[in-house]
């Protein structure tokens, strides 16, 4: 029978994506693991791999289509021995993806969906393998390998029983995936049609003055640039923080002269790395956070979550918006490793090639605007993290040393802290300990 290729959920928060490009055309042979398309999420462009083998019979959603809801059929795969006549039945659900902007037609077009539910449910209620084959997303395979899990023992809740990230996390948590998989699979067909009208509904107007409405009334001329998925995500998350997180700000001045000398000496020793001031900042923050687990934390209604490892999100500006790739387990890495890893992450971020696991998560954020000459600023917390560090430019300033006026290279560093997680005194102690490492850089090499 034909196999529907669905719009994948490439991250836990993804509800829709843009189909940027097809890398296979109708009639091409497809093997499991082949990259068949590129999908644009709110943060990056991701490659989609085929979970099954066959021939690409029909493309239902054309390249360049935006706002395609997760689990919407985007193509039909013909199994071995099937010809194009099998496409007549398989192509029926295709209109559900097209009229996403019109709620009424979408409901009518989604009517055939329940017919597919009985076929999908049995697959999802059993482990996603047959005849020795295991169907799992590339991300799920990587996570399972890292966790030492046997995929054959994991129940898949994705399309056609495919194992996805959530299944791996559930298995790691203690086998709860088996208990919830049948229910999740049964609800999936009902949830998919509902997603299209929900995605098509106009977003509620933000509180305050409507810039477009006012500009139109006053006859002001402008060019409207449509908001990208990334821009919308940034807007939603930061608005949420400003409305829900009670935060406070602290700032401290750090002298950099000793650090700059150590940096210069280390860079002269090898061509295998080129350390930046930001690499020292990441290292110092990681070591300090291990001493202050109350800052390397997040708020939940049930408990404050104190993380075992320091995963530092570093803000990187890209042509489409801000993204925060993560240096994971930063407290275990030296300066050279942090430097080389950060260069690779930043390059992939600017090219839109980051994998979800490279930018999702994080326990603490750093935003550095020093290269733009900004002396000091206050950053907005990256939820659900409890703290973000804002780094200004290092510049020569007059300082008093031993009662005499002197000149030193000084950098102002500030933190924005979630008051629910850490009180002001705790934030101040953290910042003072960070300053001590920056001004005595040899201590962070031990």
């Amino acid at each position: 029978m034909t196999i529907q290729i669905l719009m994948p959920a490439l991250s836990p928060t993804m509800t829709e994506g843009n189909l940027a490009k097809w890398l296979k055309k109708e009639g091409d042979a497809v093997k499991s693991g082949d990259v068949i398309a590129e999908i644009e999420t709110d943060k990056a462009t991701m490659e989609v791999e085929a979970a099954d083998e066959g021939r690409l019979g029909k493309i239902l959603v054309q390249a360049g289509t935006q706002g395609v809801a997760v689990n919407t059929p985007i193509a039909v795969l013909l199994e071995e021995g099937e010809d194009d006549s099998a496409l007549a039945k398989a192509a029926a659900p295709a209109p559900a993806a097209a009229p996403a902007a019109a709620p009424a037609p979408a409901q009518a077009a989604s009517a055939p969906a329940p017919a597919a539910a009985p076929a999908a449910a049995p697959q999802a209620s059993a482990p996603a393998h047959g005849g020795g084959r295991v169907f799992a997303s590339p991300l799920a395979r990587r996570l399972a390998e890292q966790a030492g899990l046997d995929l054959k023992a994991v129940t898949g809740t994705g399309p056609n029983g495919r194992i996805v990230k959530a299944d791996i996390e559930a298995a790691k948590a203690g086998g709860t995936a088996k208990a919830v998989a049948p229910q999740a699979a049964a609800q999936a067909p009902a949830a998919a049609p509902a997603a299209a009208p929900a995605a098509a509904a106009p977003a509620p107007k933000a509180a305050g003055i409507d810039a477009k409405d006012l500009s139109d009334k006053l006859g002001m001329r402008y060019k409207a640039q449509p908001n990208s998925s990334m821009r919308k995500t940034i807007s939603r998350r930061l608005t949420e923080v400003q409305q829900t997180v009670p935060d406070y700000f602290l700032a401290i001045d750090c002298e950099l002269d000793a650090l700059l000398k150590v940096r210069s000496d280390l860079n002269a020793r090898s061509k295998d790395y080129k350390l930046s001031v930001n690499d020292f900042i990441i290292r110092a923050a990681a070591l300090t956070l291990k001493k202050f687990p109350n800052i390397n934390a997040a708020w939940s209604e049930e408990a404050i979550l104190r993380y075992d490892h320091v995963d530092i999100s570093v803000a990187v500006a890209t042509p489409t918006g801000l993204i925060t790739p993560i240096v994971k387990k930063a407290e275990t890495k030296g300066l050279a490793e942090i430097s080389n890893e950060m260069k690779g992450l930043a390059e992939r971020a600017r090219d839109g090639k980051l994998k979800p696991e490279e930018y999702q998560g994080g326990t603490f954020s750093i935003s550095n605007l020093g290269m733009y000459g900004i002396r000091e600023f206050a950053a907005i917390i990256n939820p659900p993290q409890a703290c973000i560090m804002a780094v200004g430019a290092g510049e020569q300033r007059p300082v008093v040393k031993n009662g005499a006026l002197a000149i030193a290279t000084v950098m102002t560093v500030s933190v924005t802290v979630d008051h629910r997680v850490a009180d002001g005194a705790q934030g101040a102690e953290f910042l003072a300990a960070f300053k001590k490492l920056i001004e005595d850089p040899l201590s962070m090499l031990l």
Side-chain angles (χ1 to χ4, degrees), residues 124-139:
S125 63
H129 60 87
R133 290 184 61 193
V134 177
F135 299 101
S137 70
L139 174 57

Side-chain angles (χ1 to χ4, degrees), residues 26 80 84 94 116 121 128 147 185 217 246 250 255 258 266 283 288 297 345 359-360 387 396 401 404 418 435 438:
E26 292 183 357
E80 185 177 355
D84 292 349
K217 287 180 179 178
L250 301 170
E255 293 188 17
L266 290 175
R283 171 73 172 160
T288 309
L345 287 169
Y359 62 81
Q360 291 180 347
C387 186
Q396 290 193 329
K401 293 185 177 182
D418 186 340
K435 171 185 170 77
I438 290 294

